[in-house]
Every structure is written in C-alpha cells, then in structure tokens.
Amino acid sequence: VFLGHVCGEKDLTYKQIAQRMGVSESAVDGYVRWFSTHFDLHSRPALVLWAIEQRLVHAQGSDGLLAHAEWSTQRSLRPSGS
C-alpha cells in the first residue's frame, strides 16, 4: 500500500500519504527511513525506480505509476544477492 501511494500520484506529500493510509505521518517517515536504510534509497525518485525494477509497481503512461502489488510492513523484502 505504501509503495502504491509513493509511486502513484507524484504530488502527494508524506502527510497526504499518511492520511490515505490511516497512519501517522511519523509512520510514513519510518517506512521511508526503512527503505533508505535497507536498500540504500535516499530519494523518492530512487524509491520509485527501485519499486519498478522489483516489479512492485509498473509504469502507466503519462498518468504516473500504479501499484500492481501491495506491499505491507509484514512482507519481508531483501536486496538482490542477499
């Protein structure tokens, strides 16, 4: 769900993502920090590109990106080669 919102509408702020997910803004910040720490992704564009490469989201024309797989905090993701 988180990646769907981050990669979906490009103008959503983390506060808006938190509201749509029904979590606190600090929870969204925690998700961002988790990806930054575990996958060395230090910007939103890097996170979007990683999600595409991992086939967690796919490009959908000029309308932006659309998640085709939901990600939850319970799902274990590991970098390639680990």
Side-chain angles (χ1 to χ4, degrees), residues 5-25:
H5 289 298
V6 169
C7 299
E9 299 174 52
K10 65 180 178 179
D11 295 329
L12 283 181
T13 64
Y14 290 148
K15 182 176 183 176
Q16 291 169 316
I17 291 170
Q19 290 171 340
R20 291 183 182 202
M21 290 179 62
V23 299
S24 69
E25 192 172 350

PDB file of all heavy atoms in Angstrom, residues 5-25:
ATOM      1  N   HIS A   5       1.105   4.370  -2.927  1.00  0.00           N
ATOM      2  CA  HIS A   5       0.883   5.804  -2.723  1.00  0.00           C
ATOM      3  C   HIS A   5       2.110   6.623  -3.094  1.00  0.00           C
ATOM      4  O   HIS A   5       1.998   7.676  -3.723  1.00  0.00           O
ATOM      5  CB  HIS A   5       0.492   6.093  -1.273  1.00  0.00           C
ATOM      6  CG  HIS A   5      -0.875   5.629  -0.919  1.00  0.00           C
ATOM      7  ND1 HIS A   5      -2.009   6.109  -1.535  1.00  0.00           N
ATOM      8  CD2 HIS A   5      -1.301   4.715  -0.022  1.00  0.00           C
ATOM      9  CE1 HIS A   5      -3.065   5.518  -1.017  1.00  0.00           C
ATOM     10  NE2 HIS A   5      -2.663   4.666  -0.099  1.00  0.00           N
ATOM     11  N   VAL A   6       3.297   6.148  -2.716  1.00  0.00           N
ATOM     12  CA  VAL A   6       4.524   6.886  -3.029  1.00  0.00           C
ATOM     13  C   VAL A   6       4.744   6.969  -4.537  1.00  0.00           C
ATOM     14  O   VAL A   6       5.138   7.998  -5.060  1.00  0.00           O
ATOM     15  CB  VAL A   6       5.748   6.238  -2.345  1.00  0.00           C
ATOM     16  CG1 VAL A   6       7.048   6.824  -2.871  1.00  0.00           C
ATOM     17  CG2 VAL A   6       5.666   6.423  -0.850  1.00  0.00           C
ATOM     18  N   CYS A   7       4.467   5.875  -5.221  1.00  0.00           N
ATOM     19  CA  CYS A   7       4.717   5.814  -6.665  1.00  0.00           C
ATOM     20  C   CYS A   7       3.517   6.252  -7.489  1.00  0.00           C
ATOM     21  O   CYS A   7       3.645   6.444  -8.692  1.00  0.00           O
ATOM     22  CB  CYS A   7       5.104   4.393  -7.062  1.00  0.00           C
ATOM     23  SG  CYS A   7       6.602   3.800  -6.281  1.00  0.00           S
ATOM     24  N   GLY A   8       2.378   6.394  -6.874  1.00  0.00           N
ATOM     25  CA  GLY A   8       1.163   6.737  -7.602  1.00  0.00           C
ATOM     26  C   GLY A   8       1.123   8.195  -8.005  1.00  0.00           C
ATOM     27  O   GLY A   8       1.779   8.613  -8.942  1.00  0.00           O
ATOM     28  N   GLU A   9       0.381   8.965  -7.282  1.00  0.00           N
ATOM     29  CA  GLU A   9       0.248  10.387  -7.588  1.00  0.00           C
ATOM     30  C   GLU A   9       1.513  11.108  -7.167  1.00  0.00           C
ATOM     31  O   GLU A   9       1.841  11.148  -5.988  1.00  0.00           O
ATOM     32  CB  GLU A   9      -0.969  10.957  -6.863  1.00  0.00           C
ATOM     33  CG  GLU A   9      -2.269  10.295  -7.282  1.00  0.00           C
ATOM     34  CD  GLU A   9      -3.422  10.788  -6.446  1.00  0.00           C
ATOM     35  OE1 GLU A   9      -3.590  12.020  -6.344  1.00  0.00           O
ATOM     36  OE2 GLU A   9      -4.134   9.944  -5.903  1.00  0.00           O
ATOM     37  N   LYS A  10       2.209  11.691  -8.124  1.00  0.00           N
ATOM     38  CA  LYS A  10       3.539  12.243  -7.842  1.00  0.00           C
ATOM     39  C   LYS A  10       3.524  13.446  -6.916  1.00  0.00           C
ATOM     40  O   LYS A  10       4.532  13.761  -6.311  1.00  0.00           O
ATOM     41  CB  LYS A  10       4.257  12.595  -9.133  1.00  0.00           C
ATOM     42  CG  LYS A  10       3.596  13.711  -9.926  1.00  0.00           C
ATOM     43  CD  LYS A  10       4.367  14.006 -11.184  1.00  0.00           C
ATOM     44  CE  LYS A  10       3.659  15.091 -11.977  1.00  0.00           C
ATOM     45  NZ  LYS A  10       4.369  15.420 -13.183  1.00  0.00           N
ATOM     46  N   ASP A  11       2.420  14.117  -6.772  1.00  0.00           N
ATOM     47  CA  ASP A  11       2.386  15.323  -5.959  1.00  0.00           C
ATOM     48  C   ASP A  11       1.914  15.091  -4.526  1.00  0.00           C
ATOM     49  O   ASP A  11       1.759  16.035  -3.770  1.00  0.00           O
ATOM     50  CB  ASP A  11       1.511  16.390  -6.627  1.00  0.00           C
ATOM     51  CG  ASP A  11       2.085  16.866  -7.942  1.00  0.00           C
ATOM     52  OD1 ASP A  11       3.325  16.870  -8.077  1.00  0.00           O
ATOM     53  OD2 ASP A  11       1.307  17.240  -8.833  1.00  0.00           O
ATOM     54  N   LEU A  12       1.695  13.828  -4.137  1.00  0.00           N
ATOM     55  CA  LEU A  12       1.265  13.553  -2.771  1.00  0.00           C
ATOM     56  C   LEU A  12       2.411  13.806  -1.798  1.00  0.00           C
ATOM     57  O   LEU A  12       3.532  13.365  -2.016  1.00  0.00           O
ATOM     58  CB  LEU A  12       0.828  12.096  -2.612  1.00  0.00           C
ATOM     59  CG  LEU A  12      -0.536  11.691  -3.139  1.00  0.00           C
ATOM     60  CD1 LEU A  12      -0.784  10.218  -2.853  1.00  0.00           C
ATOM     61  CD2 LEU A  12      -1.639  12.529  -2.539  1.00  0.00           C
ATOM     62  N   THR A  13       2.114  14.521  -0.735  1.00  0.00           N
ATOM     63  CA  THR A  13       3.093  14.707   0.328  1.00  0.00           C
ATOM     64  C   THR A  13       3.038  13.492   1.246  1.00  0.00           C
ATOM     65  O   THR A  13       2.087  12.706   1.214  1.00  0.00           O
ATOM     66  CB  THR A  13       2.787  15.966   1.152  1.00  0.00           C
ATOM     67  OG1 THR A  13       1.522  15.778   1.812  1.00  0.00           O
ATOM     68  CG2 THR A  13       2.740  17.215   0.267  1.00  0.00           C
ATOM     69  N   TYR A  14       4.058  13.343   2.080  1.00  0.00           N
ATOM     70  CA  TYR A  14       4.040  12.232   3.028  1.00  0.00           C
ATOM     71  C   TYR A  14       2.877  12.380   4.002  1.00  0.00           C
ATOM     72  O   TYR A  14       2.301  11.391   4.447  1.00  0.00           O
ATOM     73  CB  TYR A  14       5.370  12.132   3.762  1.00  0.00           C
ATOM     74  CG  TYR A  14       6.508  11.665   2.868  1.00  0.00           C
ATOM     75  CD1 TYR A  14       7.797  12.104   3.068  1.00  0.00           C
ATOM     76  CD2 TYR A  14       6.292  10.776   1.819  1.00  0.00           C
ATOM     77  CE1 TYR A  14       8.837  11.670   2.255  1.00  0.00           C
ATOM     78  CE2 TYR A  14       7.312  10.342   1.006  1.00  0.00           C
ATOM     79  CZ  TYR A  14       8.592  10.799   1.224  1.00  0.00           C
ATOM     80  OH  TYR A  14       9.615  10.365   0.427  1.00  0.00           O
ATOM     81  N   LYS A  15       2.500  13.605   4.319  1.00  0.00           N
ATOM     82  CA  LYS A  15       1.336  13.830   5.192  1.00  0.00           C
ATOM     83  C   LYS A  15       0.063  13.311   4.521  1.00  0.00           C
ATOM     84  O   LYS A  15      -0.759  12.654   5.153  1.00  0.00           O
ATOM     85  CB  LYS A  15       1.201  15.320   5.512  1.00  0.00           C
ATOM     86  CG  LYS A  15       0.055  15.633   6.443  1.00  0.00           C
ATOM     87  CD  LYS A  15       0.015  17.101   6.798  1.00  0.00           C
ATOM     88  CE  LYS A  15      -1.101  17.388   7.783  1.00  0.00           C
ATOM     89  NZ  LYS A  15      -1.099  18.788   8.214  1.00  0.00           N
ATOM     90  N   GLN A  16      -0.094  13.586   3.225  1.00  0.00           N
ATOM     91  CA  GLN A  16      -1.267  13.106   2.498  1.00  0.00           C
ATOM     92  C   GLN A  16      -1.261  11.581   2.383  1.00  0.00           C
ATOM     93  O   GLN A  16      -2.313  10.939   2.485  1.00  0.00           O
ATOM     94  CB  GLN A  16      -1.322  13.741   1.110  1.00  0.00           C
ATOM     95  CG  GLN A  16      -1.614  15.229   1.142  1.00  0.00           C
ATOM     96  CD  GLN A  16      -1.395  15.888  -0.206  1.00  0.00           C
ATOM     97  OE1 GLN A  16      -0.409  15.628  -0.890  1.00  0.00           O
ATOM     98  NE2 GLN A  16      -2.325  16.758  -0.577  1.00  0.00           N
ATOM     99  N   ILE A  17      -0.081  11.005   2.174  1.00  0.00           N
ATOM    100  CA  ILE A  17       0.029   9.550   2.116  1.00  0.00           C
ATOM    101  C   ILE A  17      -0.392   8.952   3.451  1.00  0.00           C
ATOM    102  O   ILE A  17      -1.152   7.973   3.489  1.00  0.00           O
ATOM    103  CB  ILE A  17       1.466   9.124   1.742  1.00  0.00           C
ATOM    104  CG1 ILE A  17       1.757   9.503   0.280  1.00  0.00           C
ATOM    105  CG2 ILE A  17       1.670   7.627   1.964  1.00  0.00           C
ATOM    106  CD1 ILE A  17       3.209   9.357  -0.123  1.00  0.00           C
ATOM    107  N   ALA A  18       0.056   9.541   4.544  1.00  0.00           N
ATOM    108  CA  ALA A  18      -0.317   9.065   5.876  1.00  0.00           C
ATOM    109  C   ALA A  18      -1.831   9.105   6.066  1.00  0.00           C
ATOM    110  O   ALA A  18      -2.424   8.149   6.572  1.00  0.00           O
ATOM    111  CB  ALA A  18       0.381   9.901   6.948  1.00  0.00           C
ATOM    112  N   GLN A  19      -2.458  10.204   5.642  1.00  0.00           N
ATOM    113  CA  GLN A  19      -3.908  10.328   5.773  1.00  0.00           C
ATOM    114  C   GLN A  19      -4.620   9.246   4.960  1.00  0.00           C
ATOM    115  O   GLN A  19      -5.572   8.639   5.438  1.00  0.00           O
ATOM    116  CB  GLN A  19      -4.361  11.711   5.318  1.00  0.00           C
ATOM    117  CG  GLN A  19      -3.932  12.811   6.261  1.00  0.00           C
ATOM    118  CD  GLN A  19      -4.183  14.207   5.698  1.00  0.00           C
ATOM    119  OE1 GLN A  19      -4.330  14.390   4.498  1.00  0.00           O
ATOM    120  NE2 GLN A  19      -4.207  15.196   6.591  1.00  0.00           N
ATOM    121  N   ARG A  20      -4.158   8.987   3.752  1.00  0.00           N
ATOM    122  CA  ARG A  20      -4.794   7.970   2.906  1.00  0.00           C
ATOM    123  C   ARG A  20      -4.593   6.564   3.453  1.00  0.00           C
ATOM    124  O   ARG A  20      -5.437   5.698   3.254  1.00  0.00           O
ATOM    125  CB  ARG A  20      -4.276   8.070   1.478  1.00  0.00           C
ATOM    126  CG  ARG A  20      -4.758   9.326   0.797  1.00  0.00           C
ATOM    127  CD  ARG A  20      -4.325   9.404  -0.625  1.00  0.00           C
ATOM    128  NE  ARG A  20      -4.795  10.659  -1.202  1.00  0.00           N
ATOM    129  CZ  ARG A  20      -4.943  10.854  -2.485  1.00  0.00           C
ATOM    130  NH1 ARG A  20      -4.669   9.896  -3.336  1.00  0.00           N
ATOM    131  NH2 ARG A  20      -5.371  12.013  -2.927  1.00  0.00           N
ATOM    132  N   MET A  21      -3.453   6.344   4.104  1.00  0.00           N
ATOM    133  CA  MET A  21      -3.173   5.027   4.668  1.00  0.00           C
ATOM    134  C   MET A  21      -3.793   4.851   6.049  1.00  0.00           C
ATOM    135  O   MET A  21      -3.859   3.744   6.566  1.00  0.00           O
ATOM    136  CB  MET A  21      -1.658   4.808   4.765  1.00  0.00           C
ATOM    137  CG  MET A  21      -0.974   4.649   3.437  1.00  0.00           C
ATOM    138  SD  MET A  21       0.823   4.427   3.609  1.00  0.00           S
ATOM    139  CE  MET A  21       0.907   2.897   4.535  1.00  0.00           C
ATOM    140  N   GLY A  22      -4.208   5.952   6.660  1.00  0.00           N
ATOM    141  CA  GLY A  22      -4.778   5.881   8.002  1.00  0.00           C
ATOM    142  C   GLY A  22      -3.728   5.663   9.077  1.00  0.00           C
ATOM    143  O   GLY A  22      -3.990   5.021  10.093  1.00  0.00           O
ATOM    144  N   VAL A  23      -2.524   6.192   8.830  1.00  0.00           N
ATOM    145  CA  VAL A  23      -1.438   6.090   9.794  1.00  0.00           C
ATOM    146  C   VAL A  23      -0.903   7.483  10.078  1.00  0.00           C
ATOM    147  O   VAL A  23      -1.272   8.448   9.416  1.00  0.00           O
ATOM    148  CB  VAL A  23      -0.301   5.174   9.278  1.00  0.00           C
ATOM    149  CG1 VAL A  23      -0.803   3.753   9.042  1.00  0.00           C
ATOM    150  CG2 VAL A  23       0.334   5.729   8.017  1.00  0.00           C
ATOM    151  N   SER A  24      -0.002   7.576  11.028  1.00  0.00           N
ATOM    152  CA  SER A  24       0.585   8.874  11.348  1.00  0.00           C
ATOM    153  C   SER A  24       1.647   9.236  10.313  1.00  0.00           C
ATOM    154  O   SER A  24       2.191   8.375   9.618  1.00  0.00           O
ATOM    155  CB  SER A  24       1.215   8.855  12.735  1.00  0.00           C
ATOM    156  OG  SER A  24       2.352   8.022  12.732  1.00  0.00           O
ATOM    157  N   GLU A  25       1.937  10.528  10.245  1.00  0.00           N
ATOM    158  CA  GLU A  25       2.989  10.998   9.351  1.00  0.00           C
ATOM    159  C   GLU A  25       4.337  10.412   9.769  1.00  0.00           C
ATOM    160  O   GLU A  25       5.177  10.092   8.926  1.00  0.00           O
ATOM    161  CB  GLU A  25       3.038  12.524   9.350  1.00  0.00           C
ATOM    162  CG  GLU A  25       3.879  13.110   8.252  1.00  0.00           C
ATOM    163  CD  GLU A  25       3.758  14.629   8.167  1.00  0.00           C
ATOM    164  OE1 GLU A  25       2.888  15.221   8.829  1.00  0.00           O
ATOM    165  OE2 GLU A  25       4.558  15.209   7.422  1.00  0.00           O
TER     166      GLU A  25
END
